[in-house]
Amino acid sequence: MVLASSSASSESLVVPLEELVERVLAYQPNADVALLERAYRFAGQAHEGQVRKSGDPYFVHPSSVARVITDLRLDAASVCAGLLHDVVEDTPHALGELERDFGAEVALIVDGVTKLSKIDFTSRQDREAENFRKMLVAMARDIRVLLVKLCDRVDNMRTLEFMSPDAQERIARETMEIYAPLANRLGIQRFKCELEDLAFRYLEPAAYQRLTQLLAKGEAQRKRYIDEMSESLRRQIAEHGFGGEVDGRRKHLFSVQRKMMQQRVDFEQINDLISFRIVVESVSDCYGVMGAVHARYTPVPGRIKDYIALPKPNMYQSLHTTVIGPGRERIEIQIRTREMHRVAEEGIAAHWQYRESISGGADPKVMQRFAWLRELMEFQRDIKDPAEFIESVKVDLFQDEVYVFTPKGDVKVFPRSATALDFAYSVHTEIGHQCSGARANGIVVPLKYRLRNGDVIEVTTSPGQRPKKEWLEFAASSRARNKIRASLRDEERDRALKLGRELLEKEIHGHGISLQRLLKTDAELAHVLADLSLASADELFAAIGYGKLAAARVTTLLTSPDAAKPASEIREGRIEHLVRRVTGRDASPIKLTGDEDVLVRFARCCSPLPGDEIVGFITRGRGITVHRRNCAKSFEAAPERRVVITWDGRVKTSRPVQLRVVTVNKPGILGQLGQTFSSLSVNITALSSRAVEDDRSVNIFTFLCGDLNQLKGIMRALQKLQGVYSVERV
């Protein structure tokens, strides 16, 4: 934290106490104003002298977060927590002090959003994952922890321009992959749209700028169209005896970009940039108004969605219809009641009712709609690996959903790419493990069958069926993938235990030692386990079975005259030295220095580069296999085989990497791409290019790259080219 004095102009950015109090009293007349005032002054004094990257006083941030919290109409305790949320992390004040001065309720929320700053993690990704896990644990006691954290992220994204480019990309990606989907799943649409647009700005700056300019060109004409169509809709519903508010808007930037990518079309081919919202008094009016609209404007077949009869999991309700408006424009119209509109804007916050005790509470019927929150809690208990946990969260928060029915008529919601196998695991873990087939609408389908809206699904089981590794290729839900991985790991561990026991028994038998007697001789066994830093005989067998430990090492410990101390006089070979470090005899991570070709191989599935966060896995007979930390394949391996491994920053090396570049299919585009690589002194070693539908071309470039920073520079340069739709690492 940088210390500096604040200027008068900077101080004016701080949200005044009077404004916060006025906002809270507008929706919570009995709020504890004295508590708010104390929290405001305490936070201001605690952060005095601290400044942000922008040069503004640090207190600008917590006061702004508090204002965002009032936008959600959360209670005074939440606003106090917003003011104090960085005090424990960034000042000398302790949590106990906050609990004493502001109560256990405020302290609980502050603790839930406070980062784990005093624990040493092996990677930034692990730290971020564990911070998120800590927030979920606190959220189980009080949902306001999650809501306050979301408000904190909104304000941080609004001021991201002052961060370094690497920090901008990291924070924006986390926002796009976790916090924007969280806002969506919580039903807070205005936060979801704002976070997506802000993240889009930093993740794809060239595309963001290009789309902004394209939208600006027709903004005046679009506004006139919205005004005229809004007036036409008002007259039409009034003629049919309905009253209501009508307003129109252009869809937010990232939704337009996403539609262009999904439909693989250019901006000029997007024909539903505008949507209109009609807010009426009752549910019956919603259906009546839709009939009135269809009486004037032709509806587009297949584009009518009834989210009133079948609400989204985040409680969103509306009627959606797309019609052909004036000028043959396609227009989306949403029709809802006032209460539905409030829920659409505020989500779960619109339903939250607080008790005066430490635990915030809500209507149980409302919380049933948020079963995915409970599933997140289950994941954080079951999954120990931070990277795997975050991967599960991203899958679970995937925005597009499909609705299917059980044979009894119950509705189940899955990610859009979910299969019949995901359905089986949603019923029960053992049903999933033993699932052998399925029926969709009475027709037999394979386990990899993709679920479709309205399907009635039933599954068949077989007692002899067990999960297979290939199931991971088409299981889409976090629950299914986690249960399959856990089962495969259990089977792998059982095999390793059996193999390790057999290898050890064979090894020590040749020296006249009985394994049975060794296991019964507590002193000898304890000596061996202590020397190897293992807790039990099973851990010993597993280490040998996984290849982390040579069985001969145990014989050496048992037969050496200096058994009470390591046999240091025996010279280690390279393999023995590696095994010693892997088994914990050396506390520092293994460093990749570029000359471990005999011992280390790089996984082809993810092609790790220097700068990537990585993880190593012991492979029998083949040393260590190195994966990128977030590689899906690495989650399939047993945690017992994992070793801490890092890059040695002193060594310069080049690794092969591939980029998939989707472009317009036109003459000269490959030449432009090649020239960009050449200008960056990068030699292309292989190239494949194929034309696809919608006049596009998919190009796979293979080249040698020195590190992650160089790769990012190449990707940014390619994204700036006219005619390039996307650039992604293969």
Side-chain angles (χ1 to χ4, degrees):
M1 191 68 64
V2 183
L3 302 181
S5 58
S6 303
S7 65
S9 60
S10 295
E11 291 288 0
S12 65
L13 297 173
V14 175
V15 180
L17 171 62
E18 295 75 15
E19 179 183 337
L20 291 178
V21 171
E22 183 180 351
R23 282 169 163 260
V24 173
L25 290 177
Y27 58 82
Q28 190 185 7
N30 61 343
D32 189 341
V33 175
L35 184 72
L36 273 171
E37 292 173 346
R38 289 206 315 276
Y40 187 93
R41 295 192 178 96
F42 185 95
Q45 292 170 2
H47 291 295
E48 188 172 1
Q50 297 177 342
V51 298
R52 305 190 78 191
K53 298 281 187 183
S54 62
D56 297 326
Y58 192 85
F59 188 55
V60 168
H61 171 59
S63 69
S64 298
V65 171
R67 178 162 55 188
V68 177
I69 291 171
T70 63
D71 289 339
L72 283 186
R73 300 165 62 87
L74 298 184
D75 65 346
S78 301
V79 179
C80 290
L83 291 165
L84 300 166
H85 77 277
D86 278 337
V87 165
V88 175
E89 185 180 344
D90 292 338
T91 78
H93 297 284
L95 187 67
E97 189 178 351
L98 297 189
E99 185 171 356
R100 184 192 67 222
D101 293 346
F102 302 100
E105 187 177 14
V106 172
L108 169 67
I109 302 174
V110 171
D111 184 43
V113 297
T114 298
K115 295 176 183 175
L116 300 169
S117 57
K118 297 180 173 58
I119 300 177
D120 187 25
F121 293 96
T122 57
S123 70
R124 172 185 281 144
Q125 187 180 36
D126 284 0
R127 177 183 295 279
E128 291 170 350
E130 291 307 310
N131 283 329
F132 190 75
R133 191 195 300 268
K134 176 178 183 250
M135 181 184 70
L136 286 180
V137 173
M139 179 203 72
R141 298 179 64 191
D142 196 324
I143 191 69
R144 289 173 291 179
V145 170
L146 186 53
L147 296 174
V148 170
K149 179 61 180 179
L150 198 57
C151 294
D152 177 38
R153 179 52 60 110
V154 168
D155 187 68
N156 278 328
M157 287 299 296
R158 288 172 179 173
T159 55
L160 196 59
E161 62 188 287
F162 300 105
M163 303 293 285
S164 68
D166 282 347
Q168 287 176 346
E169 182 179 353
R170 174 174 52 82
I171 296 170
R173 191 164 303 284
E174 183 184 53
T175 298
M176 186 69 85
E177 293 179 348
I178 294 179
Y179 288 98
L182 260 179
N184 180 57
R185 294 299 295 268
L186 291 170
I188 310 173
Q189 292 302 305
R190 53 183 168 178
F191 281 6
K192 175 242 183 189
C193 295
E194 182 177 2
L195 289 174
E196 283 182 342
D197 280 356
L198 289 170
F200 175 40
R201 172 184 174 186
Y202 295 101
L203 290 175
E204 300 181 62
Y208 178 91
Q209 188 66 28
R210 187 160 61 240
L211 188 56
T212 301
Q213 292 171 353
L214 287 169
L215 287 168
K217 289 180 181 178
E219 195 62 34
Q221 181 181 353
R222 200 175 297 115
K223 187 178 183 308
R224 284 196 302 273
Y225 189 94
I226 289 173
D227 291 342
E228 293 169 2
M229 184 64 186
S230 296
E231 183 58 34
S232 174
L233 286 171
R234 289 189 195 97
R235 288 197 305 268
Q236 180 67 11
I237 64 175
E239 288 173 5
H240 286 74
F242 299 104
E245 301 169 7
V246 179
D247 67 90
R249 60 181 177 82
R250 171 180 54 77
K251 292 184 176 179
H252 71 285
L253 270 174
F254 184 69
S255 68
V256 177
Q257 173 72 3
R258 181 167 50 213
K259 188 179 288 288
M260 290 167 59
M261 298 306 297
Q262 288 175 346
Q263 298 181 1
R264 299 187 174 185
V265 296
D266 291 327
F267 175 77
E268 291 74 19
Q269 296 170 279
I270 297 291
N271 52 18
D272 53 350
L273 284 173
I274 301 171
S275 66
F276 291 84
R277 185 167 52 225
I278 304 175
V279 180
V280 295
E281 296 298 327
S282 68
V283 172
S284 60
D285 284 357
C286 291
Y287 292 97
V289 165
M290 185 168 71
V293 170
H294 288 172
R296 173 72 181 275
Y297 301 105
T298 304
V300 177
R303 296 297 301 271
I304 300 173
K305 298 176 183 177
D306 189 344
Y307 294 119
I308 294 179
L310 194 65
K312 290 187 176 184
N314 61 11
M315 301 183 303
Y316 176 87
Q317 289 182 288
S318 277
L319 288 179
H320 286 200
T321 181
T322 301
V323 301
I324 306 298
R328 306 298 298 170
E329 289 274 353
R330 283 194 176 197
I331 300 167
E332 181 184 76
I333 300 175
Q334 303 165 1
I335 308 167
R336 62 182 71 149
T337 66
R338 296 184 190 280
E339 177 61 17
M340 292 174 190
H341 180 58
R342 190 167 73 90
V343 172
E345 292 296 303
E346 300 174 12
I348 193 174
H351 283 278
W352 201 254
Q353 299 171 351
Y354 298 98
R355 296 192 294 265
E356 301 202 345
S357 62
I358 184 170
S359 298
D363 183 344
K365 292 181 180 178
V366 171
M367 290 312 294
Q368 286 177 7
R369 308 293 285 278
F370 289 85
W372 59 273
L373 282 174
R374 292 194 302 275
E375 290 180 6
L376 280 184
M377 292 304 302
E378 290 178 13
F379 294 156
Q380 75 84 20
R381 283 194 297 265
D382 296 342
I383 305 176
K384 303 306 178 187
D385 180 56
E388 184 179 354
F389 169 63
I390 282 295
E391 190 247 3
S392 296
V393 169
K394 291 176 184 177
V395 171
D396 194 62
L397 294 178
F398 196 71
Q399 294 178 26
D400 293 333
E401 294 147 345
V402 59
Y403 299 78
V404 300
F405 296 89
T406 68
K408 294 182 179 179
D410 297 328
V411 179
K412 284 183 173 289
V413 185
F414 295 93
R416 177 65 65 180
S417 56
T419 62
L421 184 63
D422 294 296
F423 181 92
Y425 274 100
S426 74
V427 177
H428 192 276
T429 300
E430 283 305 311
I431 297 292
H433 285 347
Q434 298 179 8
C435 183
S436 57
R439 288 187 178 88
N441 310 312
I443 300 173
V444 175
V445 295
L447 291 181
K448 63 175 68 174
Y449 170 79
R450 290 281 181 92
L451 303 179
R452 300 171 184 170
N453 275 324
D455 278 349
V456 178
I457 303 294
E458 51 185 321
V459 296
T460 55
T461 59
S462 172
Q465 179 75 288
R466 298 306 299 166
K468 299 177 176 62
K469 192 171 184 178
E470 53 265 29
W471 285 7
L472 289 169
E473 296 175 6
F474 54 83
S477 65
S478 295
R479 178 182 178 85
R481 296 180 67 81
N482 292 332
K483 297 300 182 183
I484 295 167
R485 284 173 180 157
S487 178
L488 294 174
R489 288 170 182 168
D490 288 344
E491 290 180 8
E492 186 179 5
R493 180 174 173 80
D494 289 342
R495 288 194 298 269
L497 285 171
K498 182 179 179 181
L499 177 61
R501 186 184 183 104
E502 291 174 355
L503 290 173
L504 180 59
E505 187 169 24
K506 181 179 179 181
E507 167 67 26
I508 65 176
H509 179 73
H511 292 78
I513 301 172
S514 166
L515 179 61
Q516 294 299 328
R517 291 183 179 181
L518 172 63
L519 296 177
K520 292 178 180 178
T521 308
D522 293 342
E524 282 295 326
L525 181 61
H527 158 66
V528 171
L529 295 176
D531 201 286
L532 298 172
S533 301
L534 298 172
S536 66
D538 276 355
E539 282 195 16
L540 175 63
F541 297 148
I544 295 172
Y546 284 126
K548 295 176 71 172
L549 174 68
R553 177 77 186 282
V554 180
T555 304
T556 302
L557 291 173
L558 292 171
T559 59
S560 171
D562 299 321
K565 56 185 178 180
S568 56
E569 67 273 19
I570 301 175
R571 188 170 179 272
E572 291 181 331
R574 295 182 70 199
I575 294 287
E576 292 171 316
H577 178 67
L578 178 63
V579 170
R580 177 175 64 81
R581 299 179 74 178
V582 166
T583 54
R585 308 304 295 166
D586 190 323
S588 63
I590 299 169
K591 288 187 179 293
L592 297 184
T593 58
D595 60 355
E596 306 90 338
D597 291 342
V598 177
L599 304 176
V600 176
R601 67 188 189 94
F602 296 90
R604 293 181 180 179
C605 54
C606 54
S607 299
L609 276 176
D612 282 324
E613 293 187 352
I614 52 176
V615 63
F617 289 91
I618 293 291
T619 307
R620 285 195 62 80
R622 297 193 297 183
I624 291 178
T625 299
V626 181
H627 289 264
R628 279 159 59 190
R629 190 72 178 84
N630 59 354
C631 173
K633 292 288 185 184
S634 72
F635 301 143
E636 298 170 12
E640 292 88 343
R641 290 170 47 201
R642 185 178 297 128
V643 290
V644 177
I645 192 164
T646 62
W647 298 101
D648 188 333
R650 298 169 298 176
V651 177
K652 301 301 180 183
T653 184
S654 293
R655 301 291 312 161
V657 68
Q658 288 186 323
L659 288 181
R660 179 188 290 110
V661 185
V662 180
T663 67
V664 63
N665 186 16
K666 68 175 184 180
I669 190 68
L670 273 179
Q672 294 177 41
L673 296 172
Q675 180 59 39
T676 301
F677 278 100
S678 178
S679 67
L680 296 171
S681 301
V682 176
N683 184 44
I684 300 170
T685 58
L687 165 63
S688 69
S689 180
R690 61 186 176 89
V692 295
E693 66 276 8
D694 300 324
D695 228 11
R696 296 194 173 208
S697 178
V698 177
N699 312 284
I700 307 294
F701 291 90
T702 305
F703 54 93
L704 293 178
C705 189
D707 56 36
L708 188 60
N709 286 333
Q710 183 186 11
L711 179 62
K712 289 180 178 179
I714 296 169
M715 294 176 71
R716 282 194 287 265
L718 293 173
Q719 286 169 341
K720 292 178 181 178
L721 294 178
Q722 188 74 29
V724 172
Y725 294 114
S726 66
V727 180
E728 60 181 353
R729 189 172 174 182
V730 178

